[in-house]
């Protein structure tokens, strides 16, 4: 008699807004060979479109409304309780617009990813597209990184670039970057679920080797 196959890694996604990255992950997770299962989507804003996307895909949702908590610690405590209830192997931040406390981040060390719309370490924080334009950069992009205590500062796993054209605006750049995000995030989540990426003390291990440069998605393909 065949043994039951090992259960797929459990993925929990946190999102605050439109949830287009969430949608890309939902779509990828429907591929037959996807090595993980999305078990829940959490949100800090009641009524956010991300919640509807999850419900449409018949994924469990929960809301922890940050306006109902008078401290970051209280909010993060409630959020962690919800996360624990779903027992995830991986927590994916997909446009989750809350700064998380150190204790929260430490508790999920090595098992939490974030996507940030810049070529980190450049432009941590908000308003990245306008800051790229103001600086006159000709290349911009997106990074997926492990979450550590430093905001947008954890070791970068993979990046994708976009070209900044003379007529680009913050909105057009946001759209170009978003297209790359939707390609890149499912690839990195897949790697995690396959056990290919791990967080070291302040570096990433890829297939057991130190990753000296983030993986790159120059066109539609990732190269090492
Ligand atoms: C993305 O640009 C992502 O890089 C940033 O938040 C945005 C989320 O967009 N962290 P969406 O909600 O996935 O459309």
């Amino acid at each position: 008699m065949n043994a039951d196959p090992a259960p797929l890694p459990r993925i929990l996604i946190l999102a605050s807004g439109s949830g287009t990255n969430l949608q890309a992950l939902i779509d990828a997770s429907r591929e037959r060979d996807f090595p993980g299962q999305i078990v829940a989507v959490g949100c800090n804003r009641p009524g956010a479109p991300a919640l509807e996307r999850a419900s449409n895909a018949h994924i469990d949702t929960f809301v922890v409304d940050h306006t109902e908590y008078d401290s970051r610690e209280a909010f993060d405590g409630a959020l962690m309780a919800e996360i624990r209830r779903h027992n995830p192997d991986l927590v994916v931040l997909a446009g989750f617009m809350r700064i998380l406390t150190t204790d929260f981040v430490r508790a999920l060390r090595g098992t939490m990813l974030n996507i940030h719309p810049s070529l980190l370490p450049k432009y941590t924080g908000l308003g990245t597209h306008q800051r790229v334009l103001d600086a006159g950069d000709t290349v911009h992009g997106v990074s997926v990184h492990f979450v550590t205590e430093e905001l947008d500062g954890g070791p970068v796993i993979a990046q994708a670039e976009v070209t900044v054209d003379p007529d680009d605006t913050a909105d057009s750049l946001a759209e170009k970057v978003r297209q790359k995000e939707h390609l890149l995030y499912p690839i990195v989540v897949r790697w995690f679920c396959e056990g290919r990426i791990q967080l070291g003390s302040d570096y990433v291990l890829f297939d057991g080797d130190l990753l000296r440069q983030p993986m790159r998605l120059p066109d539609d393909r990732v190269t090492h």
Side-chain angles (χ1 to χ4, degrees):
M1 206 168 77
N2 286 337
D4 285 340
L8 293 173
R10 300 169 62 81
I11 303 166
L12 184 147
I13 301 179
L14 296 177
S16 299
S18 65
T20 65
N21 279 283
L22 166 67
Q23 189 66 55
L25 290 165
I26 291 172
D27 294 347
S29 75
R30 289 185 170 138
E31 288 163 21
R32 192 199 295 263
D33 67 340
F34 195 79
Q37 49 172 331
I38 302 174
V39 294
V41 170
C43 190
N44 62 308
R45 289 209 183 106
L51 287 168
E52 201 181 329
R53 292 179 188 274
S55 303
N56 288 343
H58 309 291
I59 297 170
D60 240 358
T61 61
F62 62 86
V63 175
V64 183
D65 181 349
H66 63 279
T67 64
E68 289 176 3
Y69 297 85
D70 52 17
S71 69
R72 279 195 198 283
E73 288 72 19
F75 169 75
D76 280 8
L79 183 62
M80 187 59 88
E82 284 289 341
I83 291 173
R84 293 282 187 230
R85 205 162 60 78
H86 293 281
N87 193 26
D89 299 295
L90 172 66
V91 173
V92 175
L93 304 182
F96 190 62
M97 303 304 284
R98 301 297 301 166
I99 292 175
L100 299 164
T101 56
T102 301
D103 283 352
F104 183 98
V105 170
R106 282 198 186 139
L108 295 171
R109 190 173 198 286
T111 64
M112 184 156 57
L113 303 178
N114 184 42
I115 190 160
H116 180 77
S118 79
L119 294 173
L120 291 170
K122 292 181 99 173
Y123 310 118
T124 61
L126 298 174
T128 58
H129 310 303
Q130 189 58 51
R131 287 156 68 199
V132 162
L133 291 173
D134 293 346
D137 292 359
T138 53
V139 178
H140 180 33
V142 54
S143 306
V144 176
H145 64 96
F146 277 110
V147 178
T148 60
E149 289 91 324
E150 200 187 330
L151 181 70
D152 300 327
V156 176
I157 301 160
Q159 296 182 318
E161 292 181 357
V162 302
T163 303
V164 182
D165 295 316
D167 58 350
D168 266 322
T169 62
D171 284 349
S172 67
L173 276 184
E175 186 49 37
K176 282 187 191 175
V177 167
R178 203 170 290 123
Q179 299 302 324
K180 295 287 185 182
E181 292 184 350
H182 298 167
L183 293 172
L184 190 64
Y185 221 178
I187 291 172
V188 178
V189 169
R190 184 181 268 276
W191 287 336
F192 185 93
C193 291
E194 292 169 342
R196 300 188 70 185
I197 46 175
Q198 287 166 310
L199 176 62
S201 56
D202 59 355
Y203 53 84
V204 175
L205 289 174
F206 195 99
D207 288 343
D209 292 331
L210 178 68
L211 187 65
R212 296 184 186 279
Q213 299 280 333
M215 306 289 273
R216 283 273 162 171
L217 181 82
D219 306 314
D220 284 356
R221 287 169 308 131
V222 172
T223 57
H224 192 177

